[in-house]
């Protein structure tokens, strides 16, 4: 099966490559239907070309010429023809440059999942949404079915769990409300080292969630959904212009649900709401204000998790596929609030400034009773361990970013200059932490009992600060050739219980893009990253004698490839990359006589294809394929781990999704489609002695859209495949068996 898929994937890549390399075909595809929104460069008036007849231009090397723009300033709202709404194609983002710029001009891979894909797939979690992007796979974090809390991911083989919301730093704990997909317009992933614009990060990449904006016309939509195992949800989406001239717009989105899963006695309740107001009182200024509110009542712990013995190792199939070893009466109560404000102001034809501020608060009251390990690690006991935990903690995050963008002509070249500053503060108060061992339960008939002895206490307050300044310039050397280079300085500070440490790093990115034919751009780039290394306690004869501090982890990437982008037609990226991460801390001594050094190193390399294509009006295609190799290349203390594949990271992933909607005739409004998800086997442990099997899952969708009504039926895992979607070194989590979702929407 794997070999067959490999051959077919190679064929797809070869065919696409041949298509790109034939100028006649590429040019023919690029000629019709130009982009509905021209870039600023094409809209500019070339005043510099106006010279006195018969006289050469007299421009000194230091003279700067401002190129007048026809643009009237920033816009508000989401129009009906916004990218990603009617098809899968998105050709402009802000994640790769901190300003609105064609992705083809960014010398780095950027992949985007837009509204149409999210709606067709009826995506409910960040995990299922990011399955549409090559090189992104679920990590080793908490997995609570449908909870959408604490997601964990790998990007290009590196853990990547720092998240941004509308370009502002957030965290998995405090920003869980933003992971509610009902409020997401698109999800953008900048692959590879991204510290130039986003500071202290892992070298795999950054995830940026862009929220929905108000519609430009009045709209009122109500939805009702019914799914397998009694799941149901209700949603409301209202857009109302606040003024007759539509200079102020609003949008309110509310969703409430009761989600049940195939695991025994697992259910979760969610309430999510967001209100966004956008205004453009002047042609050169826009304001955006947003508030969100989330209340979750979900099962505490790791429901659905089970020991790997009896699941992915012999005796296979011992544990029932729908088993749950967490007490349903122990709940996780989560409350989240957020406020954000943003202003975009165009000072003149050269300078535009954007400043945004976000505040998140989350209250966690989390208790669970359960576990997923055999007593004495032996399945012959027939008993699953039990552990009780109850934690109450509060998290607050402040984030601020100000970016200035200048577009001008100097020294004979056009410049797109970006400079800015970002700051964030993460604080955590943890007044209660209680725990205790409980009585083990029978693996076939668990009966839960609270422990007789519970110890309690509190944890030290924690504060994290991030500061960063960045500068980047994209220079148009010719109409086809652009050179981009930037540098940043970032600082990360951690304070625990009144004491703290900090570290700083310089990062940079340099790249070139060259458009060989309309829509076809080759790119090559080099970028760096830095990441915080926690201080370690020095021990001599098992006695703490001090604290050891370290320089940050450093990462760098070489990347090259091609991008084919035509608005409303295609956005395709084929890339080859190599990433190194060094300065990984390891103890070369013993647990009683420590000796920490910066010696470990990890390397990840591979090839990726992200393709969104409009085959014909109404027929959309999404293809995501990655073939990577992520391994430890240096480990002084455990040389046996050198050359071993990174835990939880597959070598290959493939996503195919396509839908067709009839555009005319008696079938107009009907649409259907589907696709498959393939993930190769992944190592369960660092020694690569245990492997999680690979899997292939097929999904389908059929829908009908009338004037005011729409009906959508999603079918998941058509073959009822039993597979494992995640692991964390202790347990594995089963994938959802065959299921359905029926959604009905009414527009008023």
């Amino acid at each position: 099966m794997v070999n067959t898929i490999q051959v077919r994937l190679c064929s797809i890549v070869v065919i696409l490559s041949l298509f790109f390399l034939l100028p006649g075909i590429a040019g023919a595809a690029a000629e019709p239907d130009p982009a509905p929104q021209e870039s600023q460069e094409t809209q500019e008036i070339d005043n510099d070309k106006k010279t006195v007849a018969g006289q050469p231009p007299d421009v000194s090397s230091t003279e700067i010429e401002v190129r007048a723009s026809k643009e009237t300033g920033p816009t508000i709202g989401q129009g009906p023809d916004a990218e990603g709404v009617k098809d899968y194609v998105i050709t402009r983002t802000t994640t790769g440059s901190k300003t609105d710029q064609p992705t083809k001009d960014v010398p780095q891979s950027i992949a985007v999942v837009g509204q149409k894909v999210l709606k067709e797939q009826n995506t409910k979690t960040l995990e299922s949404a990011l399955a549409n992007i090559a090189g992104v796979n679920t990590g080793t974090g908490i997995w609570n079915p449908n909870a959408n809390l604490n997601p964990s991911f790998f990007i290009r083989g590196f853990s990547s769990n720092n998240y941004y919301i509308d370009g502002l730093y957030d965290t998995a704990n405090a920003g869980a409300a933003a992971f509610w997909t009902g409020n997401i317009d698109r999800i953008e992933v900048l692959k590879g080292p991204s510290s130039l614009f986003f500071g202290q990060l892992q070298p795999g990449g950054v995830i940026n969630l862009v929220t929905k904006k108000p519609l430009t016309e009045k709209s009122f939509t109500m939805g009702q959904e019914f799914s397998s195992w009694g799941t149901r949800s209700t949603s409301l989406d209202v857009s109302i212009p606040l003024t007759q001239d539509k200079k102020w717009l609003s949008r309110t989105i509310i969703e409430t649900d009761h989600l049940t899963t195939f695991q025994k006695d697992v259910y979760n309740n969610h309430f999510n709401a967001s209100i966004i107001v956008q205004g453009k009182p002047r042609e050169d200024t826009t304001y955006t204000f947003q508030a969100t509110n989330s209340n979750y009542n979900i099962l505490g712990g790791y429901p659905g998790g089970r020991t790997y013995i009896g699941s992915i190792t012999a005796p296979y199939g011992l544990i029932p596929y729908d088993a749950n070893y967490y007490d349903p009466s122990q709940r996780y109560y989560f409350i989240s609030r957020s406020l954000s404000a943003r202003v975009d102001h165009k000072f003149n034809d050269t300078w535009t400034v954007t400043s945004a501020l976000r505040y998140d608060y989350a209250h966690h009251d989390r208790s669970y009773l359960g576990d997923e390990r055999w007593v004495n690690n032996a399945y012959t006991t027939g008993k699953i361990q039990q552990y009780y935990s109850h934690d109450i903690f509060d998290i607050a995050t402040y984030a601020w970013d100000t970016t200035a963008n200048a577009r001008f002509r100097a020294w004979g070249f056009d410049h797109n200059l970006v400079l800015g500053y970002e700051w964030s503060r993460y604080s955590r108060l943890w007044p209660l932490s209680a725990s205790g061992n409980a009585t083990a339960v029978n693996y076939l008939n668990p009966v839960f009992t609270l422990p007789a002895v519970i110890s309690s206490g509190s944890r030290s307050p924690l504060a994290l600060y991030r500061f960063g300044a960045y500068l980047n310039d994209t220079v148009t050397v010719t109409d086809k050739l652009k050179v981009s280079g930037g540098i940043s300085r970032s600082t990360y500070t951690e304070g625990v219980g009144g004491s703290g440490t900090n570290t700083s790093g310089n990062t940079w990115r340099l790249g070139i893009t060259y458009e060989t034919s309309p829509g076809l751009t080759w790119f090559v780039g080099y970028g760096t990253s830095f990441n915080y290394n926690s201080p370690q306690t020095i021990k001599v004869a098992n006695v703490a004698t001090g604290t050891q501090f370290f320089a940050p982890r450093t990462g760098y990437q070489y990347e090259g490839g091609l991008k084919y982008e035509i608005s409303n037609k295609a956005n395709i990226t084929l890339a080859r990359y190599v990433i190194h991460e060094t300065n990984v801390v390891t103890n070369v001594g013993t647990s009683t006589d420590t000796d920490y050094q910066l010696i470990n190193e990890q390397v990840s390399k591979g090839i990726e294809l992200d393709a969104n294509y409009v085959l014909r009006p109404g027929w959309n295609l999404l293809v995501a394929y990655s073939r990577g190799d992520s391994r430890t290349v240096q480990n002084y203390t455990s040389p046996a781990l050198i050359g071993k594949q990174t835990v939880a990271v597959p070598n290959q992933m493939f996503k195919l999704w396509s839908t067709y909607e009839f555009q005319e005739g008696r079938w107009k409004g009907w649409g259907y489609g589907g696709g498959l998800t393939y993930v190769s086997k992944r190592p369960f442990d660092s020694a690569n002695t245990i492997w999680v099997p690979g899997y292939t899952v097929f999904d389908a969708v059929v829908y009908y859209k009338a004037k005011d009504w729409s009906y959508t039926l999603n079918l998941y895992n058509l073959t009822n495949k039993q597979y494992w979607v995640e692991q964390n070194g202790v347990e594995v989590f089963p994938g959802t068996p065959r299921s359905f979702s029926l959604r009905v929407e009414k527009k008023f």
Side-chain angles (χ1 to χ4, degrees):
M1 176 65 179
V2 174
N3 291 334
T4 302
I5 290 178
Q6 291 178 5
V7 171
R8 292 178 178 174
L9 293 176
C10 291
S11 300
I12 292 173
V13 173
V14 170
I15 292 171
L16 289 172
S17 300
L18 289 175
F19 175 80
F20 295 145
L21 295 175
L22 292 176
I25 297 178
E31 289 175 3
D33 298 333
Q37 295 182 348
E38 294 179 314
S39 65
Q40 183 170 352
E41 290 83 350
T42 60
Q43 294 179 346
E44 293 168 343
I45 300 175
D46 292 331
N47 292 328
D48 57 285
K49 295 182 180 179
K50 298 179 180 179
T51 60
V52 179
Q55 296 182 6
D58 183 14
V59 181
S60 66
S61 61
T62 58
E63 183 178 354
I64 297 178
E65 302 177 42
V66 176
R67 308 183 72 189
S69 172
K70 293 181 181 179
E71 292 183 355
T72 58
T75 60
I76 62 172
Q78 173 195 296
D81 295 324
E83 287 193 326
V85 175
K86 291 186 175 180
D87 55 51
Y88 301 168
V89 178
I90 297 176
T91 61
R92 303 182 72 91
T93 73
T94 59
T95 304
S97 59
K98 282 291 182 81
T99 185
D100 183 31
Q101 185 175 0
T103 55
K104 69 182 180 63
D105 294 339
V106 178
Q108 194 170 343
S109 292
I110 304 174
V112 186
V113 181
Q115 273 192 54
K116 184 171 177 61
V117 175
L118 297 176
K119 188 171 184 177
E120 286 182 349
Q121 297 177 357
N122 197 21
T123 302
K124 297 298 184 182
T125 64
L126 196 57
E127 289 89 348
S128 56
L130 289 174
N132 294 288
I133 294 181
V136 181
N137 67 283
T138 54
T140 56
I142 296 176
W143 182 274
N144 185 327
N146 293 316
N148 227 11
L149 280 172
N150 304 318
S152 174
F153 300 96
F154 284 91
I155 303 177
R156 290 186 168 177
F158 294 91
S159 176
S160 299
N161 296 321
N162 284 341
Y163 305 95
Y164 281 73
I165 300 168
D166 292 325
L168 293 172
Y169 175 73
D170 205 337
T171 65
N173 285 325
F179 301 150
W180 162 47
T181 57
N183 190 35
I184 299 300
D185 170 62
R186 62 177 69 180
I187 302 172
E188 303 179 349
V189 177
L190 180 63
K191 301 180 185 181
S194 305
S195 292
L196 171 64
F197 292 116
F198 299 101
Q200 171 260 338
L201 286 172
Q202 304 94 333
V206 64
I207 300 169
N208 182 31
L209 295 87
V210 181
T211 56
K212 291 178 178 177
K213 302 301 181 285
L215 302 179
T216 54
E217 301 295 333
K218 186 176 181 180
S219 175
F220 186 105
T221 302
M222 188 169 186
Q224 185 67 47
E225 188 172 320
F226 304 94
S227 305
S228 298
W229 306 292
T231 292
R232 58 189 182 275
S233 69
T234 304
S235 63
L236 182 68
D237 189 343
V238 181
S239 283
I240 301 177
L242 300 179
T243 58
Q244 288 186 348
D245 58 9
K246 298 182 181 179
K247 289 186 176 181
W248 287 92
L249 307 173
S250 71
R251 187 171 188 175
T252 301
I253 305 175
I254 300 173
E255 185 174 6
T256 180
D257 61 45
H258 174 78
L259 299 177
T260 54
T261 74
F262 68 95
Q263 285 99 353
K264 189 177 181 181
D265 299 323
V266 176
Y267 70 92
N268 301 305
N269 295 321
H270 301 87
F271 173 84
N272 292 291
S274 73
I275 299 175
I276 183 168
V277 175
Q278 280 195 305
K280 189 178 181 180
R282 296 167 35 177
E283 287 300 314
D284 57 6
T285 306
T286 67
Y287 298 95
T288 303
F289 305 98
Q290 186 170 8
T292 64
N293 173 30
S294 295
N295 287 269
Y296 294 174
N297 173 358
I298 64 179
L299 177 55
Y302 308 78
R306 70 279 313 281
T307 175
Y308 68 94
I309 302 174
S311 298
I312 61 173
T313 64
Y316 300 102
L318 177 64
I319 300 178
Y321 196 70
D322 63 348
N324 169 47
Y325 298 119
Y326 284 83
D327 184 358
S329 68
Q330 300 299 314
R331 310 300 294 174
Y332 186 165
Y333 300 100
F334 171 84
I335 300 173
S336 175
R337 310 282 187 267
S338 74
L339 295 171
S340 65
R342 169 178 169 141
V343 58
D344 295 85
H345 180 69
K346 184 174 183 179
F347 284 92
N348 49 47
D349 291 329
T350 302
W351 287 98
T352 301
V353 174
T354 299
S355 187
L357 177 68
R358 182 181 179 89
Y359 166 72
D360 276 295
Y361 165 78
H363 173 73
H364 301 254
D365 186 346
R366 180 182 68 194
S367 65
Y368 71 84
L369 173 61
D371 208 317
E372 53 285 317
R373 293 168 292 180
W374 294 108
V375 172
N376 299 325
N377 206 34
Y379 70 88
T380 53
T381 64
K383 299 286 186 178
I384 301 292
Q385 294 181 177
Q386 293 287 281
Y387 181 79
Y388 174 76
S389 175
H390 185 197
D391 296 279
I392 297 177
F393 56 99
D394 296 289
I395 291 175
T397 303
Y398 297 86
W400 172 55
D401 185 281
T402 295
T403 301
N405 178 214
R407 299 171 187 257
F408 57 90
R409 185 172 179 82
W411 304 286
F413 302 107
D414 290 335
H415 296 258
N416 185 351
L417 180 69
V418 177
L419 64 156
Y421 178 81
E422 72 159 348
W423 170 89
S424 64
R425 176 182 183 269
Y426 167 98
S427 62
R428 187 191 71 198
L429 295 176
W430 204 310
L432 175 65
S433 180
S435 62
N437 292 316
T439 304
V441 299
N442 183 283
Y443 83 103
L444 292 177
N445 184 30
V447 177
F448 304 98
T449 306
L450 287 171
V453 178
I454 299 175
S455 61
S456 63
S458 62
R459 299 189 184 184
S460 299
L462 173 66
L464 307 175
Y465 294 87
R466 294 158 51 98
F467 312 85
Y470 50 86
L471 172 69
N472 187 80
D473 190 16
T474 300
V475 181
T476 302
V477 180
T478 69
D479 291 339
K480 298 180 179 296
L481 177 64
K482 295 185 179 182
V483 178
S484 179
I487 189 170
S488 68
R489 174 72 174 179
S490 302
T491 299
Y492 178 88
T493 301
E494 177 180 317
V496 181
S499 61
T501 61
N502 69 80
T503 185
S504 298
N506 295 323
T507 58
W508 57 283
R509 184 181 72 185
L510 179 64
I512 299 172
T513 62
Y514 185 75
E515 190 171 6
T516 56
S517 61
L520 180 60
T521 302
W522 295 82
F523 74 97
V524 61
Y526 176 84
T528 66
S529 67
F530 98 102
N531 198 8
Y532 179 69
N533 267 322
S534 299
Q536 301 292 333
T537 301
I538 302 173
K539 291 183 179 181
V540 177
N542 208 30
V543 177
T545 60
T547 303
Q548 190 173 356
F549 302 92
F550 305 92
R553 296 187 183 191
T554 57
Y556 62 91
Q557 171 184 262
Y558 295 96
E559 183 181 22
L562 58 86
K563 301 181 182 182
Y564 180 64
E565 295 186 354
I566 300 293
S567 184
N568 297 331
K569 296 294 182 183
N571 66 297
I572 302 172
T573 301
L574 180 63
R576 174 79 177 180
Y577 66 89
V578 177
I579 305 177
H580 288 251
E581 185 182 37
T582 58
N583 282 2
V584 181
V585 175
T586 188
N587 179 19
V588 301
T590 65
S591 59
T592 57
D593 292 281
T594 61
D595 181 12
Y596 293 98
Q597 296 183 20
L598 299 172
I599 58 173
N600 281 5
E601 182 177 354
Q602 180 183 344
V603 173
S604 178
K605 56 185 177 181
I607 184 172
E608 293 176 348
L609 172 68
D610 285 287
N612 294 284
Y613 198 83
V614 180
L615 299 171
R616 56 180 295 182
W619 188 3
N620 289 276
L621 173 68
L622 179 151
V623 176
Y625 171 68
S626 61
R627 182 179 179 87
D629 185 51
S630 177
R631 298 180 183 275
T632 299
V633 296
Q634 184 171 310
N635 190 315
Y636 182 83
T637 55
S638 303
L641 300 182
I642 295 176
K644 300 300 183 182
Q645 188 174 328
T646 304
V647 171
V649 177
N651 283 128
Q652 290 191 85
M653 297 176 63
F654 178 59
K655 177 76 174 191
L656 172 67
W657 179 262
S658 182
T659 59
Y660 177 72
E661 181 178 330
F662 292 92
Q663 303 296 295
E664 56 187 4
R666 64 175 182 173
W667 291 99
K668 183 178 180 180
W670 283 93
Y672 65 95
L676 67 89
T677 302
Y678 166 73
V679 177
S680 67
K681 65 178 183 178
R682 302 91 74 200
F684 180 79
D685 60 339
S686 56
N688 292 184
T689 57
I690 303 173
W691 292 78
V692 180
Y695 61 88
T696 302
V697 177
F698 297 89
D699 303 319
V701 63
V702 59
Y703 59 87
Y704 174 67
K705 291 190 263 186
K707 181 179 179 181
D708 298 321
W709 290 86
S710 66
Y711 309 85
T712 304
L713 175 64
N714 288 88
L715 302 173
Y716 307 101
N717 193 1
L718 296 174
T719 63
N720 204 28
K721 173 77 173 181
Q722 292 192 358
Y723 63 103
W724 311 97
V725 293
E726 190 172 351
Q727 72 282 338
N728 63 12
V730 175
E731 58 193 326
V732 291
F733 298 85
T736 304
R738 184 188 295 122
S739 57
F740 78 94
S741 175
L742 175 63
R743 181 171 181 80
V744 180
E745 287 187 354
K746 166 68 174 175
K747 289 186 177 181
F748 297 90

